[in-house]
Amino acid sequence: MSQITPQPGIMDIALYEGGASKVEGVANVVKLSSNENPLGPSPKAIAAAQAAMARMNRYPSSDHAELRAAIAEVHGLDASRIICGAGSDEVLCFLCQGFAGPGDEVVYTEHGFGMYRIYALGSGATPVVAPERDRVVDVDAILAACTEKTRLVFIANPANPTGTMVDRADLVRLAEGIPGRAILVLDGAYAEFADGYDGGAALVEARDNVVMTRTFSKLYGLGGLRIGWGYGPKPVIDVLNRLRGPFNLSDVQLRAAEAAVRDRDYATSCQKENARLRNWLAAELGKLGVPSDQSYANFILARFADSDEVDACDAFLKSQGLIVRKVAGYGLSDCLRITVGDEDSCRRVVDAIRAFKEQSE
Ligand SMILES: *Cc1c(COP(=O)(O)O)cnc(C)c1O
């Protein structure tokens, strides 16, 4: 046998599976399985990326100063405490690499995003799972799961795949209650879809143990380009920057993201369209006997009788060219996560689920 073996923990990682995008033999397929923006990126972001392509013989900026300045301006933040990554995933990875290793614990919740476990194991730390209460992050359960070994606590707010949120008072209680050596990471991948929510920025400003992560993959429609960012206390961001490759973002990524974040009109119109169609989709499915919790994101988590009905409905939707996401891997085998598509896609989903319900009566 070879003596070559990976670091402890690595072989416990199950490969992440992205949302499917094809159905064999079905035309006019719409992908509603990865929470992508159905309207695409801002035309200004596309133009900026195209212009940057012509300069690809040059290395990109390594300090991301212009993108950080744009983000800081739009969100009212301190640019020196922003770090940009290849997707917010990369920032989550830096947090685990920088702050959790063998013997340390990383806490996240029952239905929490799959990457928290992957990065915790990747850095040799021990994942600890706290229960949720009716598909909502339970601050008391997280605090009960914390020990002196806890180094990181990850929650997504709004959460994926549930779409639910924890309110401000609970976030404060969580930040105050975690052990002294732990960092609370507020994953704000869907923050822009929650009207009036700052993604946790004010809490980052008020404390020295909170980090917020954000992404260009969801609202801004740039998932294929891989750009995200984090915001936190200076000493934490300083650690993450030491781990960051100097050229982790290409000029194409940087320019597209800068144009996207500055195009407020486009972002606002996408937010409004999402809210309108999300609420319509949830209400229509509710009338068909398919309930969902109030979602604050760009998807809904539709609940069915059991996993058999989920499998049957998923197969039926596929046959109609509609790809949604099964979430049994997140402990939600009686649910399907459905991204809010454009108006036509939302109507197709409602029509298909109505037909499914009628045929199974
Ligand atoms: C999509 C998503 C992310 C990040 O995606 P990136 O494309 O890496 O920025 C992070 N957290 C949650 C909960 C997500 O759903």
Side-chain angles (χ1 to χ4, degrees):
M1 277 302 283
S2 167
Q3 294 174 304
I4 300 171
T5 54
Q7 290 292 307
I10 308 286
M11 297 312 288
D12 297 328
I13 298 174
L15 290 182
Y16 184 87
E17 273 188 53
S21 57
K22 284 195 204 102
V23 189
E24 230 32 75
V26 180
N28 198 7
V29 168
V30 20
K31 181 185 176 196
L32 302 170
S33 56
S34 296
N35 301 339
E36 296 151 336
N37 182 339
L39 307 174
S42 154
K44 292 179 180 169
I46 296 173
Q50 279 168 342
M53 295 271 267
R55 303 186 295 265
M56 62 170 107
N57 55 317
R58 303 293 176 196
Y59 271 93
S61 148
S62 65
D63 65 8
H64 309 153
E66 289 168 63
L67 176 56
R68 287 188 296 106
I71 292 168
E73 210 178 294
V74 166
H75 292 275
L77 305 175
D78 171 1
S80 73
R81 292 189 284 127
I82 294 172
I83 179 169
C84 302
S88 51
D89 277 358
E90 194 182 30
V91 180
L92 301 173
C93 181
F94 294 154
L95 282 160
C96 286
Q97 287 181 350
F99 294 97
D104 297 334
E105 293 175 350
V106 174
V107 177
Y108 51 87
T109 61
E110 199 183 350
H111 310 306
F113 185 48
M115 297 310 296
Y116 308 150
R117 174 183 163 83
I118 290 178
Y119 291 136
L121 288 169
S123 63
T126 304
V128 173
V129 181
E132 297 195 11
R133 196 173 2 91
D134 297 331
R135 300 169 302 279
V136 181
V137 165
D138 181 346
V139 164
D140 295 297
I142 293 176
L143 292 175
C146 285
T147 71
E148 280 312 302
K149 295 180 185 164
T150 306
R151 295 290 176 269
L152 291 163
V153 174
F154 285 110
I155 69 165
N157 205 38
N160 172 20
T162 58
T164 60
M165 267 188 104
V166 171
D167 69 23
R168 211 187 129 66
D170 261 355
L171 290 182
V172 171
R173 209 153 61 77
L174 183 56
E176 280 173 356
I178 59 175
R181 288 188 62 183
I183 298 171
L184 171 63
V185 181
L186 298 176
D187 176 341
Y190 302 96
E192 292 90 352
F193 298 108
D195 211 16
Y197 176 54
D198 69 355
L203 201 56
V204 174
E205 299 295 9
R207 304 191 54 86
D208 62 5
N209 67 343
V210 180
V211 170
M212 158 178 90
T213 61
R214 304 287 286 264
T215 184
F216 284 90
S217 301
K218 308 286 160 59
L219 175 71
Y220 293 102
L222 294 172
L225 211 48
R226 318 301 306 126
I227 316 133
W229 52 283
Y231 187 61
K234 189 88 181 161
V236 173
I237 298 300
D238 180 58
V239 168
L240 306 187
N241 268 319
R242 285 161 201 268
L243 292 163
R244 183 174 67 78
F247 305 113
N248 63 325
L249 292 181
S250 70
D251 197 44
V252 176
Q253 289 166 295
L254 293 167
R255 299 293 171 186
E258 188 186 336
V261 75
R262 288 195 187 282
D263 192 350
R264 300 317 304 158
D265 289 346
Y266 189 78
T268 304
S269 72
C270 293
Q271 276 161 335
K272 287 204 177 122
E273 188 66 350
N274 175 72
R276 179 179 81 84
L277 290 169
R278 175 188 65 203
N279 298 340
W280 179 82
L281 179 63
E284 292 300 312
L285 294 188
K287 290 181 208 161
L288 299 174
V290 179
S292 54
D293 300 310
Q294 170 65 52
S295 167
Y296 296 91
N298 64 343
F299 55 85
I300 65 168
L301 184 70
R303 299 204 299 277
F304 293 83
D306 51 32
S307 64
D308 288 343
E309 193 184 20
V310 159
D311 289 345
C313 186
D314 180 62
F316 184 79
L317 289 172
K318 271 209 175 73
S319 74
Q320 304 299 301
L322 297 164
I323 305 177
V324 301
R325 187 74 157 248
K326 285 199 206 183
V327 283
Y330 287 92
L332 294 160
S333 60
D334 58 345
C335 299
L336 286 173
R337 192 191 70 188
I338 307 172
T339 301
V340 178
D342 61 12
E343 180 151 354
D344 179 60
S345 308
C346 288
R347 288 189 186 280
R348 280 177 64 187
V349 167
V350 171
D351 290 345
I353 292 183
R354 182 181 299 114
F356 168 75
K357 283 284 189 182
E358 281 167 4
Q359 81 165 22
S360 51
E361 259 166 23

